[in-house]
């Protein structure tokens, strides 16, 4: 019994310390740490929010932030952001790695800079031949394809003699060259849809730089890059469609599974 009571006491003590380690200043969740540590990490110390700690331990917060598309957020811990049903975006705040820009909603909007970079990378591949399995080597970019699993209508299979890209190879290359993400690390469309950087969105939420998969959630067979509207107001896409064609920019086909890629 003595051991049990001691264990309970330790657990309660640990819970108290954990609770006392957090603070909140004007809606900004912070941590009670020394003013020296806070300053060194780029934070701001505010007194009187950590009453049970020494005077040099104050509430450390990291202020506001803004996404590339000018959406305002708060630099708070990823845990606090998740607790408020927000989404954490890394790379926009000072402080330790768990301090990220928290924006409202289930996912951050596409940033204009990211979308333009990805689309520009895809446009540089216009005219490259379609090649089954092309673009799936260790490094993204056009490569010799493979005839393994080939289902094209052109016989015999020309892929192992054609340097080019298939649909997922093109999308992989665009995101790697555009924002440094190797989507699915060379995997196929199923791998790209399930990649940790990919988040499902609806057709109505689409923005330039988003991707659309065709097939089912369990078995996709094609992917395209949405690039927005042309001068005539028509939705457009870039794709590597099939053997015998080149990477091209054409009117958007709909009815697929939409997703957004974020860092």
């Amino acid at each position: 019994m003595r051991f049990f009571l001691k264990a309970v006491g330790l657990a309660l003590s640990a819970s108290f310390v954990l609770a006392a380690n957090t603070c909140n200043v004007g809606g900004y969740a912070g941590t009670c740490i020394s003013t020296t540590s806070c300053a060194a990490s780029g934070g701001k110390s505010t007194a009187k929010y950590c009453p049970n700690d020494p005077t040099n331990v104050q509430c450390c917060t990291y202020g506001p932030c803004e996404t590339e598309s000018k959406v305002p957020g708060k630099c708070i811990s990823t845990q606090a952001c998740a607790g408020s049903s927000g989404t954490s975006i890394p790379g926009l705040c000072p402080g330790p790695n768990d301090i990220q820009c928290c924006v409202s909603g289930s996912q951050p909007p596409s940033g204009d800079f990211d979308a333009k970079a990805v689309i520009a990378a895809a446009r540089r591949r216009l005219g490259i031949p379609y090649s089954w399995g092309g673009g799936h080597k260790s490094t993204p970019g056009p490569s010799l394809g493979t005839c393994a699993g080939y289902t094209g209508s052109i016989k015999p299979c020309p892929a192992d003699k054609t340097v080019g890209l298939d649909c997922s190879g093109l999308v992989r290359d665009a995101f790697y060259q555009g924002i440094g993400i190797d989507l699915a690390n060379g995997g196929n469309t199923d791998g790209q849809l399930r990649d940790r950087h990919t988040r499902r969105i609806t057709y109505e939420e689409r923005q330039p730089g988003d991707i659309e998969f065709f097939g089912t959630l369990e078995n996709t067979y094609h992917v395209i890059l949405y690039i927005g509207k042309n001068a005539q107001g028509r939705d457009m896409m870039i794709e590597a469609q099939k053997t015998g064609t080149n990477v091209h920019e054409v009117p958007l086909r709909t009815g697929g599974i939409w997703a957004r890629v974020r860092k």
Side-chain angles (χ1 to χ4, degrees), residues 20-262:
N21 196 42
T22 61
C23 51
N24 192 296
V25 179
Y28 287 83
T31 308
C32 293
I33 61 175
S34 72
T35 53
T36 302
S37 297
C38 183
S41 64
K44 176 184 177 181
S45 295
T46 305
K48 301 181 180 179
Y49 286 88
C50 304
N52 297 314
D53 292 317
T55 55
N56 71 321
V57 174
Q58 299 182 8
C59 189
C60 182
T61 56
Y62 294 90
C65 54
E66 190 176 73
T67 69
E68 293 165 345
S69 51
K70 307 302 180 184
V71 175
K74 296 179 179 180
C75 290
I76 59 176
S77 71
T78 53
Q79 183 178 2
C81 185
S84 65
S85 299
T87 296
S88 296
I89 307 174
L92 300 177
C93 294
N97 291 336
D98 71 319
I99 300 297
Q100 299 183 11
C101 187
C102 181
V103 296
S104 299
S106 60
Q107 57 193 358
S110 284
D112 291 339
F113 176 80
D114 287 354
K116 289 178 181 178
V118 170
I119 292 168
R123 282 197 166 119
R124 288 195 291 270
R125 302 306 187 190
L126 292 174
I128 295 289
Y130 178 98
S131 182
W132 178 272
H136 294 275
K137 302 298 184 184
S138 58
T139 302
S143 67
L144 278 174
T146 177
C147 289
Y150 175 73
T151 60
S153 59
I154 296 178
K155 308 295 184 190
C157 166
D160 58 358
K161 298 180 179 62
T162 305
V163 173
L165 297 163
D166 65 11
C167 63
S168 52
L170 170 66
V171 168
R172 178 197 185 197
D173 180 63
F175 280 96
Y176 184 78
Q177 303 298 336
I179 57 176
I181 291 177
D182 190 356
L183 204 59
N185 293 315
N188 61 12
T189 53
D190 287 342
Q192 290 181 344
L193 179 59
R194 299 184 182 100
D195 188 270
R196 67 187 181 89
H197 296 98
T198 305
R199 305 176 188 224
R200 292 275 309 282
I201 60 170
T202 66
Y203 167 77
E204 289 74 21
E205 292 173 317
R206 72 193 184 285
Q207 295 180 17
D210 290 336
I211 49 181
E212 182 185 17
F213 295 88
F214 292 88
T216 67
L217 288 173
E218 295 75 27
N219 184 23
T220 56
Y221 61 84
H222 190 55
V223 62
I224 63 92
L225 176 69
Y226 174 59
I227 61 172
K229 298 181 183 297
N230 63 11
Q232 290 72 42
R234 188 168 188 179
D235 279 324
M236 302 295 289
M237 68 181 188
I238 295 176
E239 68 172 348
Q241 185 180 18
K242 60 183 180 179
T243 302
T245 66
N246 296 333
V247 175
H248 53 213
E249 183 175 322
V250 293
L252 178 69
R253 295 192 302 277
T254 59
I257 302 163
W258 284 85
R260 179 164 297 157
V261 177
R262 298 299 303 180

